[in-house]
Every structure is written in C-alpha cells, then in structure tokens.
Amino acid sequence: MYKSVTVKAGRGGWGGPLTLVPTEAKHKVVSITGGGIHPIAKSLAAMMECEAVDGFSTGVPDEEILVAVVDCGGTARCGVYPKKRIFTINVLPVGQTGPLAKFITEDIYVSGVDESCFSYADASAAQAAAPAPKPVSGAPKSKAQAKEEVARMNAGKEKGFITRLGIAIGGVVSKFYAAGRETIDITIKSILPFMAFVSMILGIISASGIGDVIANTISPIASTLPGMLIISFICAMPFLSPVLGPGAVIAQIVGTLLGVQIGLGNIPPQYALPALFAIDAQVGGDFVPVGLSLGEADPETIELGVPAVLYSRVITGPVAVIIAYVASIGLYS
Amino acid sequence: MEFIAGLANGFLSLFQAGAATFTGWVTGIIPLVVVLMTAVNSLIKIIGEDRVNGIAEVATKYTITRYTVLPVLAVIFLANPMCYTFGRFVEAKYKPAFYDAAVSFVHPVTGLFPHANGGELFVYMGIAAGVTQLGLPLGDLAVRYFFVGVLVILIRGIVTEKIYLHMLKSNEKRG
C-alpha cells in the first residue's frame, strides 16, 4: 500500500510544498546524487513504501519516476527534471538558478530538504508516522546466501569510503562555488547599481558647482560635535526615522557626500567615526514590523514594539555619536 | 556648428566626473569586496547554521550577551535581512530590543564583513572613500566602527528593553 507524502522546503530552501502520490505506474524515488542512494531518498521511499533507485547506476524510464532527489549546487541537475516536469527534491538550498532556471518552479521543485520536511499527506496516514522498515526478503536465508550478502555489503563499504570522500570534497567545492555566485549576484544586483546612480549624482554635483554649496554648509556642521548631535537627533525623530530608513539610501548618499568632503580636507578624518553614527540614527526605523515578524513576534508585541524602538532612538542616536566621538580620539593623529 | 559642439562638450563634461568616480569605485572597491565576501560566505556555509543556533540559544539568557553576542552572530552568519529571524530565540518581551540591537549592527559590521549587508555598503564605504583619498589606512576605522557598534547596540538593547517594558506596563494598567 503506497502512502502520499508532502514535502516542504527546508532551511534556506525554496519552492514546494509538493504532494507526492505514488501509483502502480509511477512509484520510483530516483536518487541522482553522485553514487549511491542518498539517505533522504531512502527515508522518503521508506515513508511512501516505494522503491528507491540509484539513478547513476540504473537507468529508469521517465514515466516511472515519481520524484527525483538531487544534490545540485545550482548548475544543471536541479533544472533537468523540472524541465521534464518531474517532481524534484534538491537536498541543497538552491533556488531558481542555472541555465534551466526558468523551468524551476514552485509546483515542481523544492530545495534545502531534510527529513524534517516530510509529512504524510492525509490525516489517516499520519498515525503511521514512524518510517516503515525496509522490506526484507521473506524466505529464510541459507548460510551461503548470508555469507554472500555479508561479502557484498563489505565490498560496498570499501567502495563507499572513496565515494564518500569524493562527495565530501565535492560538497566543499560546491559551497565555495555557491558562495562565489552569491557574491557576484549581490555585486550585480545591489552594489553596482548603487555605484552607478550615486556616481552620476556625484558627477553632476561636482561639475555643476552644487558641491561648493555643500562644502560651505554641511562641512562646518559635520565637523563639530554639536553639529553631529543635531544631525543624529533629526534622523532619530520618530516621525522622520521611518521615512529616512528604507534601503539606507539616504544614509548612503549622505555618507558618500561626507566622504567627498573628508577627501577634500573640509572635514577632519577622525570625524569619520562619529559621522558614521550621526547619519545612521534612523537605521531600520522603517523595518521594525517586518523585522519583528521575522523574529516570530506576535501582533501585540509588534504594535508596542514599533514605537518603543522609535522613541529609544531619540536617546540612543545622540548617545551613539558621543560614544563614537570619544572612541575617535587618537584616530588618524 | 561650433556652438553645438561646445554645447555637447559641456553636456558630456557633466558626466565625465561621474564616470571617473564610477571607475574608481569599480576598480578600487569591488575586487577586494568580492574576494572577501566569497571567502566569508564559504566559511559560513561550511560552519553551518545549526552550529550557530546552539550558541544563540545560550546567548539569549543574559542581558549582556542578548544584545551583543546574539545580534553580532545573527548579522555575521545570516546577514541582513535574515538576521532578524534570530529573534525567535528571544522571549517575547525582549524581541523589540533584540531587533533594535540587530538592525543597528548591519552597518558597523560592513567595515570588516561586507558580505553581511552587501546592499547597503555605502554608509561605511562612502565615508571610507574620503579617508582613503587622504592616503590614510582604513583598518583602524573599520575596527573602531565594529567595536563602537557593539557597545552602541548593547546600550540600544537595554534602553529599548526598558522603554518597551514600561509601555507594556502602562498599557496593561489602561487596558
């Protein structure tokens, strides 16, 4: 008797949930994980009472595959089965990436999966939550058969060591690779666009002469302690801080403008440290409800938490500037 | 004809200064940030979130670690904005204070660990660019920014905690 299982995305994963319904024709859990059957594939098959197959050493016709289990870091494999519209479980937390990214959709693909992501699909089956033991061949074994089996298992183990070593190295390499891709992603999606738009603004400011106006007005304010306290107080005002917060765009532009003035020698370099806190008293003021709900706070906590954080900034904004001012003694002198 | 050419030159010169700034940033900032970010991202993937969770659960018990160790770990390991999910380890009455501490650290962290907030680097980088232009080293500034940041988030956590608890009490009295 086959059992249906729901698979949801794991930590850092993406996609799903998928509901897998095994049938007579479609009942194979195919593990395409670089040699051997992945434990996740094994326990999923056990839960559904299906058959787990090593897809590397055994070819399985597509129409028999209920679900494919892959450990793809985001190059190709994670897209191959979704492209064929076969349910795909990736044990690595990889989203829509790779050359086949457009085929990877939430209704066919789920990633970052571990054993905690599996649950029986219907209530009647839920009571049998303990994974069913693997089917053992019914007939009692003869001595020769048993010996043969033990020998086969040992052979499997030796091979397993080299395979395991290979998988471990592959795992580390795939982590480096994923880290590189993440970095390039953020460089292209966030850092470069910001550089483009701010360098355009800075160029216009310096070429048009507005720069001199800024140098004559902001620089004197930003190079004294009282001036910086005023800036931080303004940024921290509870009705302004949520407006100034989003994406830290304002803080980044002001930071860049102050940087230019420091570079020109209009503001002494040791004031960089207190200035960093003065222009940032509003940090996250716009994000309090979202941040709190990410931390699993209930609605009542959020309701009071938002004003609590905003009021607190009126005190801690200027305090931060004073601390930074004291800490800047001896910097660049 | 000469007049139009002059106009075009004036128009282009408006953007040449910007182009020079852009080139300076792309060649001066991006290579180091990319390599550093890749290294730290790999390290974090190898260490794994589960191991950090254990430390986080202990750190939430004491006021001082709740607003120093916990948010610092959260920001370095989960980065902005997933770092706020560490709020789940914290008791409900301390959640707003923890959020305040964590969010106030997403910029001080960027001097040493730019991966933690790649989208908002220029709060620090913008000011740091000026210091670099003077020919001064950034190490001292980055380290001081980090540690002053830790002290500031501790104070912020404590102050916000007090304000929130006070508001909670007066709210209950009224209700």
Side-chain angles (χ1 to χ4, degrees):
Chain A
M1 184 57 202
Y2 296 129
K3 292 195 173 82
S4 301
V5 166
T6 302
V7 185
K8 62 178 174 61
R11 204 188 296 284
W14 184 89
L18 310 178
T19 303
L20 308 172
V21 185
T23 61
E24 221 27 82
K26 229 179 175 53
H27 65 276
K28 284 188 174 153
V29 177
V30 178
S31 180
I32 305 115
T33 47
I37 297 171
H38 196 277
I40 293 296
K42 223 175 257 174
S43 67
L44 178 63
M47 267 181 92
M48 297 195 295
E49 309 197 15
C50 288
E51 190 186 337
V53 182
D54 177 359
F56 263 94
S57 52
T58 320
V60 182
D62 285 351
E63 59 275 9
E64 281 180 37
I65 302 178
L66 171 63
V67 58
V69 176
V70 300
D71 62 349
C72 170
T75 41
R77 245 179 299 153
C78 61
V80 171
Y81 290 89
K83 187 166 179 290
K84 298 192 212 171
R85 298 300 294 168
I86 292 171
F87 285 126
T88 305
I89 292 177
N90 195 347
V91 297
L92 298 176
V94 171
Q96 283 176 296
T97 51
L100 300 173
K102 64 174 181 285
F103 299 104
I104 300 175
T105 53
E106 287 173 57
D107 60 319
I108 199 86
Y109 176 88
V110 61
S111 69
V113 172
D114 58 30
E115 258 136 346
S116 67
C117 301
F118 300 146
S119 56
Y120 284 107
D122 50 338
S124 61
Q127 57 198 10
K134 271 172 67 183
V136 192
S137 56
K141 293 172 203 156
S142 71
K143 254 188 184 169
Q145 264 178 326
K147 245 183 205 167
E148 199 185 343
E149 206 160 280
V150 168
R152 211 171 48 222
M153 272 163 71
N154 284 345
K157 249 178 212 158
E158 272 168 41
K159 206 172 165 191
F161 171 74
I162 292 169
T163 316
R164 272 204 309 278
L165 187 71
I167 290 173
I169 292 171
V172 171
V173 171
S174 82
K175 276 171 183 157
F176 284 145
Y177 183 58
R181 193 174 46 239
E182 238 167 63
T183 304
I184 295 302
D185 262 5
I186 198 149
T187 307
I188 289 172
K189 284 187 189 147
S190 307
I191 302 179
L192 278 171
F194 189 85
M195 284 180 170
F197 115 82
V198 176
S199 53
M200 180 199 72
I201 292 177
L202 279 185
I204 292 175
I205 286 176
S206 65
S208 63
I210 306 172
D212 300 334
V213 179
I214 293 172
N216 294 334
T217 53
I218 294 183
S219 298
I221 300 173
S223 50
T224 64
L225 179 59
M228 277 190 291
L229 287 174
I230 292 168
I231 294 175
S232 70
F233 181 72
I234 293 172
C235 291
M237 285 202 277
F239 57 92
L240 272 184
S241 52
V243 185
L244 295 174
V249 174
I250 308 261
Q252 292 188 88
I253 294 176
V254 175
T256 309
L257 290 175
L258 288 182
V260 172
Q261 298 305 322
I262 291 174
L264 294 173
N266 294 332
I267 299 173
Q270 68 271 25
Y271 280 82
L273 189 60
L276 282 165
F277 287 93
I279 63 172
D280 211 18
Q282 77 283 7
V283 57
D286 58 307
F287 203 70
V288 192
V290 189
L292 281 175
S293 56
L294 281 173
E296 294 170 17
D298 46 32
E300 293 82 49
T301 310
I302 294 174
E303 203 177 303
L304 277 182
V306 174
V309 171
L310 297 185
Y311 294 155
S312 157
R313 292 296 172 83
V314 181
I315 305 166
T316 59
V319 167
V321 174
I322 294 173
I323 294 170
Y325 183 80
V326 173
S328 74
I329 293 170
L331 183 64
Y332 302 128
S333 59
Chain B
M1 200 61 205
E2 259 172 53
F3 173 71
I4 296 172
L7 211 63
N9 281 339
F11 181 73
L12 283 180
S13 74
L14 200 58
F15 300 105
Q16 266 153 3
T21 310
F22 186 71
T23 315
W25 283 347
V26 171
T27 56
I29 293 176
I30 287 186
L32 179 66
V33 168
V34 163
V35 177
L36 183 60
M37 259 183 165
T38 307
V40 178
N41 277 338
S42 325
L43 189 68
I44 286 165
K45 282 178 200 296
I46 288 166
I47 292 173
E49 204 181 307
D50 292 333
R51 265 166 249 187
V52 182
N53 289 351
I55 305 173
E57 271 165 32
V58 179
T60 178
K61 286 181 196 153
Y62 312 100
T63 306
I64 291 184
T65 52
R66 184 164 61 236
Y67 304 127
T68 54
V69 176
L70 189 60
V72 170
L73 282 180
V75 170
I76 291 179
F77 278 87
L78 301 183
N80 185 32
M82 290 318 287
C83 52
Y84 313 120
T85 59
F86 262 30
R88 70 180 187 274
F89 295 122
V90 180
E91 273 183 73
K93 59 181 174 180
Y94 301 137
K95 280 180 201 270
F98 168 76
Y99 166 78
D100 200 6
V103 80
S104 297
F105 201 63
V106 298
H107 296 140
V109 76
T110 52
L112 296 175
F113 300 101
H115 75 283
N117 198 1
E120 301 175 0
L121 284 182
F122 269 82
V123 178
Y124 170 76
M125 292 283 181
I127 286 185
V131 176
T132 310
Q133 210 175 328
L134 294 176
L136 297 167
L138 285 181
D140 204 1
L141 179 64
V143 170
R144 286 187 198 216
Y145 191 28
F146 189 91
F147 286 108
V148 173
V150 174
L151 184 58
V152 166
I153 63 172
L154 173 63
I155 293 170
R156 239 169 228 180
I158 293 170
V159 171
T160 306
E161 181 185 308
K162 294 266 182 292
I163 291 176
Y164 177 74
L165 293 180
H166 177 78
M167 286 171 69
L168 199 62
K169 218 187 262 171
S170 57
N171 205 41
E172 274 165 6
K173 258 184 216 155
R174 238 187 303 140

